Amino acid sequence: MKKLIGFTVLLFGFHSLTAQTFTRKDSLQGGLRPERTCFDVLRYDLNIKIDPAEKSILGYNDITFKPIENATTIQIDLFENMKVDSIVYRQKKLSYVREFHAVFINFPTPLLKEMPEQTIRFYYSGKPTIARNAPWDGGFVFKQDANGKDWIGVAVQGTGASLWYPVKDTQSDEPDKGVSIKVAVPNGLMNVSNGRFTGYEDLKNGYTRWDWEVRNPINTYNITVNIGDYVKLNENYKGLDLDYYVLRENEAKAKVHFEEVKPMMDCFQSKFGEYPFKSDGYKLVETPYLGMEHQSAVAYGNKYLKGYLGRDLSGTGVGLTFDFIIIHETGHEWFGNSITSKDIADMWIHEGFTQYSEIIYVECQQGYEKAMTYANGLKVNVKNDKPIIGNYGVNSEGSGDMYPKGALLLNTLRHVINDDVKWWKILLKYSNTFKHQIIDTATVIAYFNKESGMNLTPIFNHYLQKTTIPKLETRIVGGKLETKWSNVSDDFAMPIDIDFQNKTIRVQPKAVWTSSQIKIKHLNEIKIAVNHFFVEYNQI
């Protein structure tokens, strides 16, 4: 189990679970009951055949685990439309009970926490769910390339890895000793999965099996297959293996377009530390859907365009200066793949930090002002429809605002701390401190409070839990400027910078009117630094 860092009781308020109705199925998929917490997954060894014509899977997963509590039943997950063929332990079939996507496996004699590691072989088959709109809607994508050859991928974040293979389907446990992924596909096609390629075997039945090995812990939704008529491009850049698997017709285009990977790696490694999966290498794999952060095998489907399929999400023009999918999905290697949220309710830990990595990349390449232009352009994408943090224990993501609003929260914190040397040290230390670990929101808040020496909890709470933006109000009383935050809780306090008489002055507004030392006659004499903070401004 990747080391889990967090607190039993969250240190901040969270919205009521009664705001939305959840079912037994939701809690079975998202919760941590004794049948899940009684064992620690050490390794998966997946061996399957994928039939493109039938759109089916047949094979097994060897699940190696260590009992950590005495138990007679464990929960492994597999979508209910997939068939359990048998589950074998010590050469005997085990009995099991299915409930929705959960498979409760019964052992004839108790598993004891003193026992060494154990292995079950889970045979299964069936036709996995086909995505209607990958990667937003989880499932397989079965397409053909321009030459009429099969081109297949899968993306299941949020939906669950158990959509296509038997697994302990929770972000709270990753296989400590890695994964092997062996996938047989029709001759003439290649399968590319996570980690290092270890060889292939002609099975003499019209299929070739392609074998891959992951040495690091990995999020189960990151385990992937990519099937197609691929050509491999590769080089070693400053000690890091860069491999690109692209459709044959796109080889020349990829050689030029993927040059952006090099300055990106220079930027990210300078800000976040060494690429966290160096032993597994880094790959971009061309996919029949837009993209996904599959660890060490990043899915790429942006059609070799700048921006987001040729569009600028920021509306500023800056977003058309880089390939969004290359930058964003690779940013996830640090934020989401290396540092993982325990519950998908805290997925902002993945997406907010990763969208912020786009801003950082712009700053590395084009400077601070362009980065702030891009950051402020993202504000138009914030909907404030519901809190960023979802409901815990029921497989519930929060608002899609976790992307832009999460990034703008971090940009705001940078300017609250107001010391760039300190900020970059905090961010680098964050990446290294929690490398290959599973955390929660409370852990993030505690870390930034400690390293900044400031109480940032009310700021985190507001942006993560509220659907309003802090609004700065200003007025003149007795010839002095007074400030106040509205749309906030009583404990909210956040400094902000004001330009006045060719000077930048920091004031400390609270949720009540607070006097400053700025002597002023008219409010038009000041300018609020709203481009550095995600706030609204209102003169009274």
Side-chain angles (χ1 to χ4, degrees), residues 15-23 26 386 390-391 394 396-397:
H15 55 288
S16 171
L17 293 177
T18 60
Q20 183 175 347
T21 301
F22 294 98
T23 66
D26 297 323
K386 61 180 181 178
N391 295 281
V394 287
S396 168
E397 295 179 12

Side-chain angles (χ1 to χ4, degrees), residues 152-164:
I152 301 167
V154 63
V156 294
Q157 184 183 20
T159 307
S162 55
L163 178 147
W164 68 279

Side-chain angles (χ1 to χ4, degrees), residues 99-209:
E99 185 177 359
F100 300 110
H101 300 334
V103 181
F104 293 99
I105 303 170
N106 303 308
F107 289 81
T109 57
L111 297 170
L112 304 177
K113 60 183 179 181
E114 297 83 6
M115 295 173 68
E117 61 185 51
Q118 307 291 309
T119 300
I120 60 172
R121 176 165 290 188
F122 195 128
Y123 291 93
Y124 74 109
S125 59
K127 296 184 177 182
T129 301
I130 295 176
R132 295 185 300 273
N133 187 26
W136 302 276
D137 172 65
F140 266 77
V141 178
F142 291 90
K143 289 188 177 181
Q144 291 184 331
D145 65 19
N147 297 315
K149 292 193 174 184
D150 288 304
W151 188 23
I152 301 167
V154 63
V156 294
Q157 184 183 20
T159 307
S162 55
L163 178 147
W164 68 279
Y165 70 97
V167 62
K168 183 178 179 180
D169 202 354
T170 167
Q171 290 183 182
S172 66
D173 192 1
E174 298 182 4
D176 305 67
K177 298 181 180 180
V179 179
S180 69
I181 309 159
K182 299 179 179 181
V183 182
V185 297
N187 293 343
L189 298 175
M190 176 189 298
N191 174 67
V192 181
S193 289
N194 316 80
R196 300 280 185 176
F197 177 59
T198 60
Y200 66 90
E201 180 181 349
D202 184 349
L203 301 181
K204 309 298 183 184
N205 60 356
Y207 280 76
T208 299
R209 195 189 70 212

Side-chain angles (χ1 to χ4, degrees), residues 484-539:
K484 184 185 83 164
W485 291 115
S486 61
N487 292 337
V488 296
S489 301
D490 291 344
D491 65 343
F492 186 85
M494 184 172 74
I496 196 166
D497 295 325
I498 294 178
D499 291 333
F500 175 66
Q501 294 182 346
N502 298 318
K503 295 181 181 179
T504 299
I505 301 173
R506 174 150 289 208
V507 296
Q508 303 286 340
K510 299 178 181 178
V512 295
W513 285 108
T514 304
S515 180
S516 74
Q517 297 304 309
I518 298 177
K519 295 180 180 180
I520 189 173
K521 293 181 179 180
H522 302 287
L523 288 175
N524 60 9
E525 297 177 48
I526 63 172
K527 182 179 179 182
I528 309 299
V530 292
N531 285 344
H532 297 162
F533 301 80
F534 187 33
V535 297
E536 297 175 349
Y537 175 52
N538 185 39
Q539 292 183 354

Side-chain angles (χ1 to χ4, degrees), residues 4 30 34 36 65 81 101 106 113 134 147 180 228 236 278 292 318 348 352 370 374 436 439 459 465 483:
L4 175 62
R36 273 183 163 174
F65 63 94
N81 63 296
H101 300 334
N106 303 308
K113 60 183 179 181
N147 297 315
S180 69
N236 185 282
K278 190 173 181 179
M292 180 57 65
V318 179
W348 79 273
K370 286 290 186 181
Y374 182 73
H436 294 179
I439 64 175
I459 300 174
Q465 297 288 348
T483 58

Side-chain angles (χ1 to χ4, degrees), residues 61-351:
N61 189 15
D62 283 341
I63 303 171
T64 301
F65 63 94
K66 172 70 174 69
I68 54 177
E69 296 293 341
N70 297 343
T72 57
T73 303
I74 66 171
Q75 178 184 336
I76 296 295
D77 306 288
L78 183 67
F79 268 38
E80 54 192 324
N81 63 296
M82 300 294 284
K83 180 183 177 183
V84 179
D85 293 322
S86 65
I87 303 169
V88 177
Y89 173 66
R90 296 180 178 177
Q91 299 181 332
K92 294 183 179 180
K93 292 184 179 181
L94 297 177
S95 65
Y96 60 88
V97 175
R98 302 196 75 173
E99 185 177 359
F100 300 110
H101 300 334
V103 181
F104 293 99
I105 303 170
N106 303 308
F107 289 81
T109 57
L111 297 170
L112 304 177
K113 60 183 179 181
E114 297 83 6
M115 295 173 68
E117 61 185 51
Q118 307 291 309
T119 300
I120 60 172
R121 176 165 290 188
F122 195 128
Y123 291 93
Y124 74 109
S125 59
K127 296 184 177 182
T129 301
I130 295 176
R132 295 185 300 273
N133 187 26
W136 302 276
D137 172 65
F140 266 77
V141 178
F142 291 90
K143 289 188 177 181
Q144 291 184 331
D145 65 19
N147 297 315
K149 292 193 174 184
D150 288 304
W151 188 23
I152 301 167
V154 63
V156 294
Q157 184 183 20
T159 307
S162 55
L163 178 147
W164 68 279
Y165 70 97
V167 62
K168 183 178 179 180
D169 202 354
T170 167
Q171 290 183 182
S172 66
D173 192 1
E174 298 182 4
D176 305 67
K177 298 181 180 180
V179 179
S180 69
I181 309 159
K182 299 179 179 181
V183 182
V185 297
N187 293 343
L189 298 175
M190 176 189 298
N191 174 67
V192 181
S193 289
N194 316 80
R196 300 280 185 176
F197 177 59
T198 60
Y200 66 90
E201 180 181 349
D202 184 349
L203 301 181
K204 309 298 183 184
N205 60 356
Y207 280 76
T208 299
R209 195 189 70 212
W210 301 82
D211 299 349
W212 298 82
E213 177 74 24
V214 177
R215 301 172 186 174
N216 290 282
I218 183 171
N219 299 339
T220 58
Y221 75 79
N222 271 326
I223 296 173
T224 191
V225 296
N226 301 279
I227 301 167
D229 181 22
Y230 287 121
V231 173
K232 177 184 178 182
L233 307 173
N234 72 288
E235 65 178 299
N236 185 282
Y237 181 67
K238 298 181 180 180
L240 177 62
D241 290 324
L242 305 177
D243 294 333
Y244 310 128
Y245 289 85
V246 301
L247 293 182
R248 193 169 299 278
E249 62 262 28
N250 293 328
E251 180 178 5
K253 192 183 301 183
K255 284 180 179 178
V256 176
H257 193 80
F258 288 169
E259 280 295 307
E260 186 164 27
V261 169
K262 296 173 184 176
M264 173 194 67
M265 281 295 180
D266 288 340
C267 175
F268 286 175
Q269 291 191 109
S270 71
K271 298 300 186 183
F272 313 141
E274 184 180 61
Y275 175 70
F277 306 106
K278 190 173 181 179
S279 60
D280 287 327
Y282 171 83
K283 295 189 291 295
L284 286 177
V285 188
E286 190 170 0
T287 54
Y289 57 89
L290 182 61
M292 180 57 65
E293 64 265 24
H294 295 142
Q295 183 175 308
S296 72
V298 174
Y300 176 82
N302 203 40
K303 303 183 185 301
Y304 303 96
L305 297 170
K306 295 292 187 179
Y308 181 97
L309 287 174
R311 295 183 288 114
D312 179 5
L313 293 183
S314 74
T316 64
V318 179
L320 291 176
T321 63
F322 63 92
D323 187 313
F324 176 91
I325 292 299
I326 292 177
I327 305 307
H328 181 89
E329 303 304 349
T330 303
H332 272 304
E333 293 282 53
W334 284 266
F335 306 115
N337 298 350
S338 178
I339 301 175
T340 304
S341 66
K342 176 184 177 182
D343 192 300
I344 68 169
D346 281 337
M347 285 289 285
W348 79 273
I349 295 173
H350 299 203
E351 302 300 349

